[in-house]
Short mmCIF file of all heavy atoms in Angstrom, two decimals:
data_model
loop_
_atom_site.label_atom_id
_atom_site.label_comp_id
_atom_site.label_asym_id
_atom_site.label_seq_id
_atom_site.Cartn_x
_atom_site.Cartn_y
_atom_site.Cartn_z
N MET E 138 7.60 6.65 -8.02
CA MET E 138 8.46 5.59 -7.52
C MET E 138 9.83 6.17 -7.16
O MET E 138 10.35 7.02 -7.90
CB MET E 138 8.58 4.48 -8.54
CG MET E 138 7.29 3.70 -8.72
SD MET E 138 7.40 2.36 -9.92
CE MET E 138 7.34 3.29 -11.45
N GLU E 139 10.37 5.75 -6.04
CA GLU E 139 11.65 6.27 -5.56
C GLU E 139 12.76 6.12 -6.58
O GLU E 139 13.70 6.91 -6.60
CB GLU E 139 12.04 5.62 -4.24
CG GLU E 139 11.22 6.11 -3.08
CD GLU E 139 11.67 5.54 -1.74
OE1 GLU E 139 12.69 4.81 -1.69
OE2 GLU E 139 10.99 5.83 -0.74
N LYS E 140 12.66 5.12 -7.43
CA LYS E 140 13.71 4.88 -8.43
C LYS E 140 13.72 5.93 -9.54
O LYS E 140 14.71 6.10 -10.24
CB LYS E 140 13.56 3.49 -9.04
CG LYS E 140 12.34 3.35 -9.93
CD LYS E 140 12.31 1.99 -10.62
CE LYS E 140 11.18 1.88 -11.60
NZ LYS E 140 11.28 2.79 -12.74
N ASP E 141 12.64 6.71 -9.67
CA ASP E 141 12.53 7.70 -10.75
C ASP E 141 13.13 9.03 -10.31
O ASP E 141 12.44 10.03 -10.12
CB ASP E 141 11.08 7.85 -11.18
CG ASP E 141 10.54 6.59 -11.84
OD1 ASP E 141 11.35 5.83 -12.41
OD2 ASP E 141 9.32 6.37 -11.78
N LYS E 142 14.45 9.04 -10.18
CA LYS E 142 15.18 10.19 -9.63
C LYS E 142 15.00 11.46 -10.46
O LYS E 142 14.87 12.55 -9.91
CB LYS E 142 16.67 9.87 -9.50
CG LYS E 142 16.98 8.64 -8.67
CD LYS E 142 16.65 8.85 -7.22
CE LYS E 142 17.11 7.65 -6.41
NZ LYS E 142 16.47 7.55 -5.14
N ALA E 143 14.99 11.34 -11.79
CA ALA E 143 14.85 12.54 -12.63
C ALA E 143 13.49 13.18 -12.42
O ALA E 143 13.37 14.41 -12.34
CB ALA E 143 15.06 12.19 -14.10
N ALA E 144 12.45 12.38 -12.30
CA ALA E 144 11.11 12.92 -12.06
C ALA E 144 11.06 13.61 -10.70
O ALA E 144 10.50 14.71 -10.57
CB ALA E 144 10.07 11.81 -12.14
N ILE E 145 11.66 13.01 -9.70
CA ILE E 145 11.69 13.60 -8.36
C ILE E 145 12.40 14.95 -8.40
O ILE E 145 11.93 15.93 -7.81
CB ILE E 145 12.33 12.63 -7.35
CG1 ILE E 145 11.40 11.43 -7.13
CG2 ILE E 145 12.66 13.34 -6.04
CD1 ILE E 145 12.03 10.28 -6.37
N ARG E 146 13.52 15.02 -9.10
CA ARG E 146 14.24 16.30 -9.21
C ARG E 146 13.36 17.36 -9.87
O ARG E 146 13.32 18.51 -9.44
CB ARG E 146 15.54 16.12 -10.01
CG ARG E 146 16.65 15.48 -9.21
CD ARG E 146 17.99 15.57 -9.94
NE ARG E 146 17.98 14.97 -11.26
CZ ARG E 146 18.22 13.69 -11.51
NH1 ARG E 146 18.48 12.85 -10.51
NH2 ARG E 146 18.21 13.22 -12.75
N LEU E 147 12.62 16.98 -10.93
CA LEU E 147 11.73 17.92 -11.60
C LEU E 147 10.65 18.42 -10.66
O LEU E 147 10.42 19.63 -10.55
CB LEU E 147 11.09 17.26 -12.83
CG LEU E 147 9.99 18.08 -13.52
CD1 LEU E 147 10.54 19.40 -14.06
CD2 LEU E 147 9.32 17.26 -14.61
N TYR E 148 9.98 17.52 -9.97
CA TYR E 148 8.90 17.92 -9.06
C TYR E 148 9.42 18.88 -8.00
O TYR E 148 8.80 19.91 -7.73
CB TYR E 148 8.26 16.70 -8.39
CG TYR E 148 7.72 15.67 -9.35
CD1 TYR E 148 7.72 14.32 -9.04
CD2 TYR E 148 7.21 16.03 -10.60
CE1 TYR E 148 7.23 13.37 -9.91
CE2 TYR E 148 6.73 15.08 -11.50
CZ TYR E 148 6.74 13.75 -11.14
OH TYR E 148 6.26 12.82 -12.01
N GLU E 149 10.57 18.55 -7.43
CA GLU E 149 11.11 19.40 -6.37
C GLU E 149 11.55 20.76 -6.92
O GLU E 149 11.34 21.80 -6.29
CB GLU E 149 12.24 18.68 -5.64
CG GLU E 149 11.70 17.51 -4.83
CD GLU E 149 12.76 16.69 -4.12
OE1 GLU E 149 13.98 16.90 -4.36
OE2 GLU E 149 12.37 15.82 -3.30
N ARG E 150 12.10 20.78 -8.12
CA ARG E 150 12.49 22.04 -8.75
C ARG E 150 11.28 22.92 -9.03
O ARG E 150 11.35 24.15 -8.96
CB ARG E 150 13.26 21.76 -10.05
CG ARG E 150 13.83 23.02 -10.69
CD ARG E 150 14.81 22.71 -11.80
NE ARG E 150 14.35 21.78 -12.80
CZ ARG E 150 13.53 22.07 -13.82
NH1 ARG E 150 13.05 23.29 -13.95
NH2 ARG E 150 13.19 21.16 -14.70
N LEU E 151 10.13 22.30 -9.32
CA LEU E 151 8.89 23.03 -9.59
C LEU E 151 8.14 23.42 -8.31
O LEU E 151 7.07 23.99 -8.38
CB LEU E 151 7.98 22.21 -10.51
CG LEU E 151 8.49 22.03 -11.94
CD1 LEU E 151 7.56 21.10 -12.72
CD2 LEU E 151 8.63 23.36 -12.65
N GLY E 152 8.71 23.09 -7.16
CA GLY E 152 8.13 23.53 -5.89
C GLY E 152 7.24 22.52 -5.19
O GLY E 152 6.63 22.85 -4.17
N TRP E 153 7.13 21.31 -5.72
CA TRP E 153 6.33 20.29 -5.05
C TRP E 153 7.01 19.93 -3.74
O TRP E 153 8.23 19.90 -3.64
CB TRP E 153 6.19 19.06 -5.94
CG TRP E 153 5.31 19.30 -7.13
CD1 TRP E 153 5.58 20.09 -8.20
CD2 TRP E 153 4.03 18.73 -7.36
NE1 TRP E 153 4.54 20.05 -9.09
CE2 TRP E 153 3.57 19.22 -8.59
CE3 TRP E 153 3.22 17.86 -6.64
CZ2 TRP E 153 2.33 18.87 -9.13
CZ3 TRP E 153 2.00 17.49 -7.17
CH2 TRP E 153 1.56 18.01 -8.41
N GLN E 154 6.20 19.63 -2.72
CA GLN E 154 6.72 19.32 -1.39
C GLN E 154 6.44 17.87 -1.02
O GLN E 154 5.32 17.39 -1.17
CB GLN E 154 6.08 20.26 -0.36
CG GLN E 154 6.43 21.70 -0.62
CD GLN E 154 5.68 22.66 0.27
OE1 GLN E 154 4.71 22.30 0.93
NE2 GLN E 154 6.11 23.90 0.27
N PHE E 155 7.48 17.21 -0.52
CA PHE E 155 7.38 15.82 -0.07
C PHE E 155 6.47 15.74 1.14
O PHE E 155 6.60 16.53 2.08
CB PHE E 155 8.78 15.30 0.28
CG PHE E 155 8.78 13.92 0.86
CD1 PHE E 155 8.58 12.82 0.06
CD2 PHE E 155 9.00 13.72 2.21
CE1 PHE E 155 8.59 11.54 0.59
CE2 PHE E 155 9.02 12.45 2.76
CZ PHE E 155 8.81 11.36 1.94
N ILE E 156 5.50 14.81 1.12
CA ILE E 156 4.57 14.68 2.25
C ILE E 156 4.58 13.30 2.89
O ILE E 156 3.90 13.08 3.89
CB ILE E 156 3.13 15.06 1.85
CG1 ILE E 156 2.64 14.23 0.67
CG2 ILE E 156 3.04 16.56 1.58
CD1 ILE E 156 1.16 14.44 0.32
N GLY E 157 5.34 12.36 2.33
CA GLY E 157 5.42 11.03 2.94
C GLY E 157 5.66 9.94 1.92
O GLY E 157 5.72 10.19 0.72
N GLY E 158 5.79 8.73 2.44
CA GLY E 158 6.07 7.59 1.58
C GLY E 158 4.86 6.71 1.37
O GLY E 158 3.87 6.80 2.09
N ALA E 159 4.97 5.86 0.37
CA ALA E 159 3.91 4.90 0.04
C ALA E 159 4.58 3.67 -0.56
O ALA E 159 5.77 3.67 -0.85
CB ALA E 159 2.92 5.50 -0.94
N THR E 160 3.80 2.63 -0.75
CA THR E 160 4.28 1.42 -1.41
C THR E 160 3.31 1.07 -2.52
O THR E 160 2.10 0.98 -2.30
CB THR E 160 4.36 0.25 -0.41
OG1 THR E 160 5.23 0.62 0.66
CG2 THR E 160 4.89 -0.99 -1.08
N HIS E 161 3.85 0.92 -3.74
CA HIS E 161 3.03 0.50 -4.87
C HIS E 161 2.98 -1.03 -4.90
O HIS E 161 4.02 -1.68 -4.84
CB HIS E 161 3.63 0.99 -6.19
CG HIS E 161 3.39 2.42 -6.47
ND1 HIS E 161 2.32 2.87 -7.17
CD2 HIS E 161 4.10 3.52 -6.12
CE1 HIS E 161 2.37 4.18 -7.26
NE2 HIS E 161 3.45 4.60 -6.63
N GLN E 162 1.80 -1.56 -4.99
CA GLN E 162 1.60 -3.01 -5.13
C GLN E 162 1.33 -3.29 -6.61
O GLN E 162 0.55 -2.58 -7.24
CB GLN E 162 0.39 -3.46 -4.31
CG GLN E 162 0.41 -3.01 -2.86
CD GLN E 162 1.46 -3.71 -2.03
OE1 GLN E 162 1.85 -4.83 -2.30
NE2 GLN E 162 1.92 -3.04 -0.99
N PHE E 163 1.96 -4.31 -7.16
CA PHE E 163 1.70 -4.65 -8.56
C PHE E 163 2.04 -6.11 -8.80
O PHE E 163 2.70 -6.75 -7.98
CB PHE E 163 2.50 -3.74 -9.50
CG PHE E 163 3.99 -3.91 -9.40
CD1 PHE E 163 4.67 -4.71 -10.30
CD2 PHE E 163 4.71 -3.26 -8.41
CE1 PHE E 163 6.04 -4.86 -10.21
CE2 PHE E 163 6.08 -3.40 -8.30
CZ PHE E 163 6.75 -4.20 -9.21
N GLY E 164 1.58 -6.60 -9.94
CA GLY E 164 1.88 -7.96 -10.34
C GLY E 164 1.46 -8.98 -9.29
O GLY E 164 0.47 -8.82 -8.59
#
């Protein structure tokens, strides 16, 4: 989720590459 900034920083620091966006449906 875009709101999870710390997780995004970790993934990018570990070399993960952004490939596009998505939308989570819930509730």
Side-chain angles (χ1 to χ4, degrees):
M138 291 180 284
E139 287 185 4
K140 70 175 185 65
D141 293 333
K142 304 293 186 199
I145 291 169
R146 283 191 303 273
L147 172 63
Y148 303 148
E149 291 177 351
R150 186 168 51 79
L151 292 175
W153 289 69
Q154 297 172 347
F155 175 75
I156 56 173
T160 302
H161 283 269
Q162 309 290 332
F163 65 98

